[in-house]
Amino acid sequence: MRLSSLPIATQKEAPADAEVISHQLMLRAGMIRKLAAGIYSWLPLGLRVVRKIETIVREEMDRTGALELLLPSVQPGALWHQSGRWDLYGPELLRFTDRHKRDFCYGPTHEEVITDIARRELRSYKQLPVTFYQVQTKFRDEIRPRFGVMRSREFIMKDAYSFHIDEPSLDQTYQVMYDAYTRIFERTGLRFRAVEADSGAIGGAVSHEFHVLADSGEDAIAFADDGDYAANVELAPAAPPAQVQTGSGAAMEKVATPGAESIAAVSESLGLAPRQCVKTLFVCAADEGPPVALVLRGDHELNAVKTVKLPGVAEPLRMAGPKQVQSATGAAPGSVGPVGLSGPVYVDHAAAALADFACGANEDGFHLVNVNWERDLPRPQSVDIRNVLAGEPAPDGHGTLSIARGIEVGHIFKLGTKYSAALGATVLDDSGASIAMPMGCYGIGVTRIAAAAIEQNHDSAGIIWPQAIAPYQIMIIPLNQAKSDAVREKSEQLYARLADNGYEVMLDDRDVRPGVKFADCELLGIPVRVVIGDRGIKNGTLEVRGRRDSDNENIAPDELDNYLERKLAG
Ligand code: ATP
Ligand code: MG
């Protein structure tokens, strides 16, 4: 491709609303353009990256024997009524009616549609197991679309669905998919990690997420460096502390803490470490009754996924408003605590192991110190409602946890018979009995991977594409081509030769200053650049440089093929 024929200019600055680096760089490099909130056009360079990712995904899915199909993106509401999800899915589902006033939605996922195919086509256990997949546009009316194509409303997903006669067969395909995902992410050249994940409301006990590791990731993942344990922090269980504190015997006392509302301020005002203070949060109750109190150590963070599974807690998790807190405790949220509460209370294991702790006094501007379970308030049964922290032992007993940030790029689930039972997708087994097929589902965020790759691989000059998903592999930069016939000719020759040899090459044949060409080449993240100038031609050398290298190399033209092979390997 000749840059002179690409009518999309790179930009020095990104719009102010582009918060994360991948969003900024994708806009500046001319990969994407925003059409509406969370809805993006893919321009030529961006689309090449998407296509490369799709190709890797397709090759590895085909290798497992999965069958590609393409399902409609517009789906009849009737199917969603049958599965029960029309009412459950909430406002993320984009709904509309056709001219006959029939309900439709734009597919956020395709369990209903594929199960409809399965119930029509599959008759016998002899046709199983079978896995179908597609690469297709989804729409989810995300409450906060942000970070460009990383959390957009319209995006491309590869989704696959498997059908089985029994659970052992599902287990087998699940492992095949796990391995295929591992190969897919290895081939993209990204650093990633597979972790145990919450399977949410979808049901099914087992699920794994694949995360691209990047500091900007929305998810926290916990893993043992010296063991096998790896899980989303949402899910990772926090064990009760090995030791329970014993009190000094000092009496509980009420202390004025004017203006101190946060744990940091309370801890400073009382001269007590945050881990010796407890915080009490209130969430809405499932039955609209008084809010549920959650008691945690001051240095611990509430885990919403664990909390929402507790009996009596409303799903989705909602913090109680200040008015509700006031009527439950008589105080504002900054001064509340568990002593004397009459409503439902859950205490985290670590908070339950404290003695002589501090908490809000349920009176504005006051806290209690030297509080002890059993003596000053009933010792409640404790639960796990906090996030694990780095340095804690891994839940499986092997090694110590580290925490890293991750971007979820893939998610595999064992669904069980939720959809096949609801929609009547049955086959006959070898004894002639009708069986609802256990199912698996397997998603990959194709367009999110493009952004995640940039989050993980960039520097101050721009994108650094792993070569497997770079839009082009090589950029040829002629210097002062307008004045030098030799430079122009050599560049054209090299461009033609490399393209003939199967390389994906860009030629920056624009009449712009060398500095502009170098800057754009770095911004676009092209893995190798080859500079052609009069000096090199005179010396019989080519100037080459890999995107991650700090220096140029001058090589003889007939060494170029070796150099490229080395640089662009794997
Ligand atoms: P998230 O937790 O990030 O909202 P999810 O768990 O709802 O994602 P899945 O239903 O597991 O997503 O979808 C499969 C994959 O599709 C995800 O692993 C992710 O890579 C991708 N994906 C999901 N939502 C979006 C989105 N809004 N924008 C881009 N990609 C997405
Ligand atoms: Mg997911």
Side-chain angles (χ1 to χ4, degrees):
M1 205 256 296
R2 293 166 188 278
L3 255 76
S4 63
S5 67
L6 181 70
I8 290 152
T10 55
Q11 296 163 358
K12 275 225 160 61
E13 308 283 338
D17 67 342
E19 292 169 63
V20 294
I21 191 72
S22 60
H23 190 194
Q24 294 167 7
L25 291 174
M26 288 174 99
L27 290 169
R28 287 184 51 208
M31 290 178 64
I32 56 170
R33 288 291 178 260
K34 178 169 159 179
L35 179 65
I39 303 182
Y40 289 84
S41 303
W42 286 90
L43 303 187
L45 288 179
L47 184 62
R48 286 183 70 95
V49 174
V50 169
R51 291 284 182 254
K52 293 227 168 149
I53 297 166
E54 287 177 358
T55 299
I56 294 173
V57 169
R58 281 202 171 88
E59 285 175 4
E60 294 301 334
M61 292 310 289
D62 291 345
R63 202 135 90 95
T64 67
L67 305 169
E68 184 170 6
L69 44 57
L70 185 59
L71 304 170
S73 43
V74 173
Q75 307 181 8
L79 261 183
W80 286 69
H81 283 297
Q82 279 185 36
S83 72
R85 282 211 290 188
W86 187 260
D87 295 325
L88 287 179
Y89 210 90
E92 277 190 18
L93 186 64
L94 179 64
R95 302 157 205 247
F96 41 89
T97 49
D98 70 1
R99 65 172 77 203
H100 307 294
K101 301 281 180 287
R102 287 189 199 109
D103 283 335
F104 280 88
C105 64
Y106 197 103
T109 178
H110 278 72
E111 283 82 5
E112 280 80 0
V113 179
I114 197 72
T115 309
D116 180 60
I117 299 272
R119 73 178 165 184
R120 291 166 193 274
E121 307 298 331
L122 303 177
R123 291 277 162 263
S124 157
Y125 72 97
K126 291 180 186 155
Q127 296 168 299
L128 303 181
V130 63
T131 304
F132 299 109
Y133 81 95
Q134 63 173 341
V135 179
Q136 200 227 27
T137 300
K138 307 285 190 226
F139 193 96
R140 294 182 182 179
D141 204 350
E142 298 270 354
I143 184 165
R144 279 186 71 201
R146 60 203 167 125
F147 307 155
V149 297
M150 201 126 74
R151 183 166 296 287
S152 48
R153 296 199 292 171
E154 185 178 297
F155 58 96
I156 299 175
M157 196 202 287
K158 184 285 297 177
D159 46 331
Y161 306 89
S162 64
F163 294 88
H164 306 273
I165 191 63
D166 55 20
E167 294 290 331
S169 165
L170 169 57
D171 293 348
Q172 227 170 33
T173 296
Y174 187 85
Q175 188 59 44
V176 167
M177 286 294 148
Y178 184 101
D179 296 341
Y181 273 44
T182 302
R183 279 197 304 275
I184 287 167
F185 294 114
E186 275 169 4
R187 283 184 59 186
T188 59
L190 300 174
R191 277 177 289 115
F192 71 98
R193 191 111 201 186
V195 303
E196 289 174 32
D198 181 58
S199 43
I202 297 198
V206 179
S207 132
H208 286 86
E209 289 169 353
F210 289 75
H211 286 263
V212 165
L213 303 177
D215 292 340
S216 58
E218 283 189 288
D219 285 59
I221 60 180
F223 57 93
D225 275 327
D226 37 4
D228 294 332
Y229 189 81
N232 195 310
V233 165
E234 287 179 349
L235 182 84
Q243 280 169 355
V244 175
Q245 293 182 352
T246 43
S248 63
M252 180 169 83
E253 199 185 329
K254 190 162 82 179
V255 184
T257 46
E261 292 182 352
S262 65
I263 284 291
V266 169
S267 127
E268 197 183 320
S269 147
L270 297 173
L272 267 182
R275 55 179 297 140
Q276 210 56 39
C277 306
V278 305
K279 57 182 166 195
T280 306
L281 308 168
F282 286 86
V283 295
C284 296
D287 58 3
E288 313 272 301
V292 180
L294 307 169
V295 181
L296 292 145
R297 228 168 66 182
D299 58 333
H300 285 159
E301 242 178 68
L302 182 71
N303 182 304
V305 169
K306 294 176 185 175
T307 304
V308 90
K309 291 178 184 153
L310 296 172
V313 171
E315 183 173 8
L317 195 70
R318 288 189 307 276
M319 300 312 286
K323 274 202 192 122
Q324 265 184 302
V325 174
Q326 184 84 36
S327 72
T329 66
S335 300
V336 297
V339 179
L341 285 184
S342 57
V345 182
Y346 285 110
V347 179
D348 182 69
H349 294 312
L354 294 176
D356 291 344
F357 60 88
C359 62
N362 296 327
E363 183 178 336
D364 286 347
F366 289 91
H367 278 75
L368 300 169
V369 296
N370 297 325
V371 184
N372 286 275
W373 301 109
E374 280 167 45
R375 189 190 69 181
D376 305 317
L377 73 172
R379 176 182 293 279
Q381 210 192 350
S382 64
V383 290
D384 173 16
I385 48 170
R386 71 173 175 96
N387 290 338
V388 289
L389 294 175
E392 295 182 13
D396 67 357
H398 299 286
T400 302
L401 291 180
S402 297
I403 310 279
R405 305 301 301 182
I407 301 167
E408 182 196 319
V409 287
H411 198 169
I412 60 177
F413 278 101
K414 290 184 193 173
L415 286 176
T417 56
K418 181 180 153 114
Y419 296 94
S420 51
L423 297 183
T426 57
V427 291
L428 298 180
D429 71 7
D430 56 0
S431 67
S434 173
I435 304 281
M437 291 175 278
M439 293 169 57
C441 79
Y442 318 92
I444 286 189
V446 169
T447 41
R448 184 182 281 182
I449 291 174
I454 299 174
E455 289 297 325
Q456 189 180 79
N457 300 283
H458 64 268
D459 62 14
S460 57
I463 302 167
I464 305 177
W465 288 115
Q467 79 87 22
I469 59 173
Y472 288 88
Q473 299 171 299
I474 303 164
M475 175 82 86
I476 299 173
I477 301 184
L479 299 181
N480 296 320
Q481 53 174 18
K483 295 207 187 98
S484 167
D485 292 342
V487 166
R488 224 170 30 248
E489 275 162 28
K490 286 273 183 222
S491 306
E492 290 287 345
Q493 278 166 13
L494 185 63
Y495 178 58
R497 182 173 79 77
L498 291 180
D500 283 348
N501 289 354
Y503 287 111
E504 296 168 303
V505 205
M506 297 178 101
L507 172 65
D508 194 349
D509 56 347
R510 298 173 300 171
D511 272 329
V512 296
R513 286 181 294 111
V516 172
K517 294 187 180 187
F518 291 137
D520 279 348
C521 182
E522 294 195 313
L523 173 62
L524 298 184
I526 307 303
V528 172
R529 80 182 193 201
V530 181
V531 177
I532 296 182
D534 281 318
R535 186 148 42 109
I537 292 174
K538 204 165 77 202
N539 297 340
T541 58
L542 285 174
E543 185 189 298
V544 290
R545 181 160 167 176
R547 178 64 180 83
R548 282 190 193 275
D549 298 343
S550 47
D551 289 310
N552 297 326
E553 268 181 77
N554 289 301
I555 61 171
D558 59 10
E559 284 171 30
L560 182 64
D561 288 339
N562 274 337
Y563 175 86
L564 292 175
E565 212 165 294
R566 211 170 61 236
K567 276 284 175 197
L568 298 173

